[in-house]
Amino acid sequence: MKAAVSRRPGEKFSIEEVQLADPIGQEVLIDVKASGLCHSDLHIALEGYGFEFPTVLGHEAAGVVAKIGPDVTDFAVGDHVVASLIQFCGRCEACLDGRVYQCWNPGVTQRGDNEPPRLTQNGEALFQYSAISGFAEQVLVHQNQLSVLPKEIPFTRAAILGCGVITGAGAAINSADIHPGQTVAVIGCGGVGLNAIQGARLAGAGAVIAIDLQPKKLELARRFGATHTINSGQVDPIEAIHEIAPRGVDHAFEVIGLKQTCQLAIDLVRVGGCAYIIGLQKPGNTIELKAWEDLVMGQKRVIGIQMGSTNPKHDIPMFAQLYLDGRFNLDDLVSGEIGLDQINEAYEALEGGQIARTIITSF
């Protein structure tokens, strides 16, 4: 089958022939119909972030079940599914408490050292990123990482449910537990930021303030429920926020992954407010907190969020149904469809900050 292979950090994707094993145990083989280009995959392709290479990246994959392993209980051939990079065992204390995103034993969703690798090329193992490797014609995934979706939802919309939607909207609904009328700032209006915005509105937030450098992204943020927009390249965002929320906001979401935007999130929240760090950070990145001003007198909280504190088996079908009911916007998250061989050009466009999400639909 064809896949977009990343040979080493800093190199472009290469379209090559690779091989997938047959499903064993609780594994499910999926014919991929749509695979989203998430910005985090590009960061890893360029910088490495400590992951193994060569690899096949991609984690927003939706498709049709083609074959199941002998121990699969939750899926049947022909089901429409979407993969999530949340790996969980379902048996540890965190999982039994509903916190599958904090699973103690995520490795159970992967093959053991005594089993042949799932993904190979001419007999040599390729690293299966996020235990999915979605930039390919097919994927082989443990059933815990899959959710069944209504067949009415288009695959292009289904794909983005597996990461961008649950990370952004989940952060607002699950992690922050926003209450009606509270004030929210979202720093960065890419796919995750847009979903944080509409998640905040769904939770009943009052003022939802979008902050970005790109006018087109700020315009898009309005369609997702932002009540105010701030171009931080033209005005001081702190001063602009205080004109809307004089004491600062209740919740500030950082979805870019830079030290300065993390600091901005902390500075934007009111006494007792919370800053949520969501964006992909380079290993070793640090942020600074003033012990007296921020923590003691400011009583501010800073929380790191992984995948929107999501239980994918519950949340992904929920958001899919909200979309079908006309209550959740997925359509404006999809900016275009491409073939697998156009992946490098599409990521160059994404780097320019002009589009929401490009989806691979032809392999």
Side-chain angles (χ1 to χ4, degrees):
M1 69 171 187
K2 289 184 179 180
V5 178
S6 296
R7 294 244 146 246
R8 55 189 60 84
E11 291 189 0
K12 290 186 175 182
F13 296 94
S14 175
I15 309 303
E16 303 177 17
E17 288 289 331
V18 302
Q19 293 79 44
L20 268 182
D22 285 329
I24 61 174
Q26 298 182 61
E27 294 175 347
V28 179
L29 180 67
I30 302 157
D31 291 329
V32 178
K33 302 299 182 182
S35 187
L37 269 62
C38 184
H39 217 136
S40 61
D41 290 302
L42 180 62
H43 287 314
I44 293 166
L46 294 176
E47 305 288 344
Y49 281 80
F51 288 97
E52 296 179 36
F53 284 77
T55 182
V56 175
L57 297 171
H59 58 273
E60 292 185 339
V64 179
V65 174
K67 195 174 182 180
I68 61 175
D71 300 325
V72 170
T73 57
D74 299 342
F75 302 92
V77 172
D79 282 346
H80 288 198
V81 297
V82 63
S84 164
L85 49 72
I86 298 176
Q87 301 168 242
F88 66 93
C89 68
R91 299 188 300 271
C92 69
E93 182 178 320
C95 286
L96 294 175
D97 193 39
R99 295 175 288 109
V100 296
Y101 52 90
Q102 294 178 343
C103 176
W104 297 354
N105 306 301
V108 302
T109 60
Q110 303 177 41
R111 288 193 175 183
D113 294 337
N114 61 339
E115 296 172 317
R118 291 176 182 164
L119 185 63
T120 58
Q121 185 179 53
N122 302 322
E124 297 294 324
L126 294 173
F127 178 64
Q128 189 187 29
Y129 171 66
S130 68
I132 299 173
S133 289
F135 292 156
E137 292 183 81
Q138 293 183 312
V139 294
L140 185 61
V141 184
H142 192 282
Q143 69 172 355
N144 284 9
Q145 288 184 253
L146 298 171
S147 298
V148 175
L149 292 176
K151 292 185 178 181
E152 297 89 343
I153 187 170
F155 287 115
T156 52
R157 277 57 174 168
I160 54 180
L161 288 169
C163 177
V165 168
I166 59 174
T167 299
I173 296 169
N174 300 326
S175 309
D177 188 23
I178 293 171
H179 295 169
Q182 288 188 319
T183 53
V184 172
V186 178
I187 305 168
C189 298
V192 174
L194 293 173
N195 280 295
I197 288 167
Q198 68 174 334
R201 289 307 301 269
L202 193 63
V208 180
I209 307 158
I211 303 172
D212 204 287
L213 294 168
Q214 297 283 343
K216 288 185 178 180
K217 286 188 174 182
L218 292 173
E219 179 183 340
L220 191 59
R222 288 276 187 180
R223 297 215 296 270
F224 281 81
T227 59
H228 304 75
T229 59
I230 295 172
N231 188 321
S232 55
Q234 297 177 355
V235 299
D236 183 323
I238 297 177
E239 291 182 3
I241 284 282
H242 286 164
E243 291 181 4
I244 304 164
R247 296 182 300 114
V249 297
D250 297 295
H251 308 275
F253 298 89
E254 192 282 339
V255 296
I256 298 174
L258 298 175
K259 180 175 182 177
Q260 56 266 42
T261 47
C262 291
Q263 187 62 56
L264 176 60
I266 296 166
D267 292 341
L268 290 180
V269 298
R270 61 164 175 79
V271 172
C274 189
Y276 305 89
I277 309 303
I278 305 171
L280 181 65
Q281 303 285 330
K282 286 187 179 181
N285 269 10
T286 61
I287 58 175
E288 297 177 1
L289 286 169
K290 304 179 188 71
W292 178 250
E293 295 91 337
D294 291 333
L295 299 181
V296 178
M297 296 303 295
Q299 302 170 56
K300 295 181 180 183
R301 293 169 293 137
V302 180
I303 298 176
I305 298 178
Q306 174 74 0
M307 296 302 300
S309 306
T310 294
N311 182 335
K313 297 288 190 180
H314 173 272
D315 292 359
I316 289 178
M318 176 189 71
F319 287 122
Q321 190 59 53
L322 287 171
Y323 166 75
L324 292 175
D325 292 342
R327 300 172 59 197
F328 198 85
N329 186 357
L330 297 180
D331 294 333
D332 287 329
L333 291 169
V334 178
S335 58
E337 300 178 27
I338 62 167
L340 183 65
D341 58 356
Q342 297 172 286
I343 188 171
N344 289 306
E345 294 82 359
Y347 264 128
E348 288 175 6
L350 183 63
E351 276 289 85
Q354 299 299 313
I355 56 178
R357 207 44 133 237
T358 300
I359 309 293
I360 300 169
T361 55
S362 174
F363 297 86

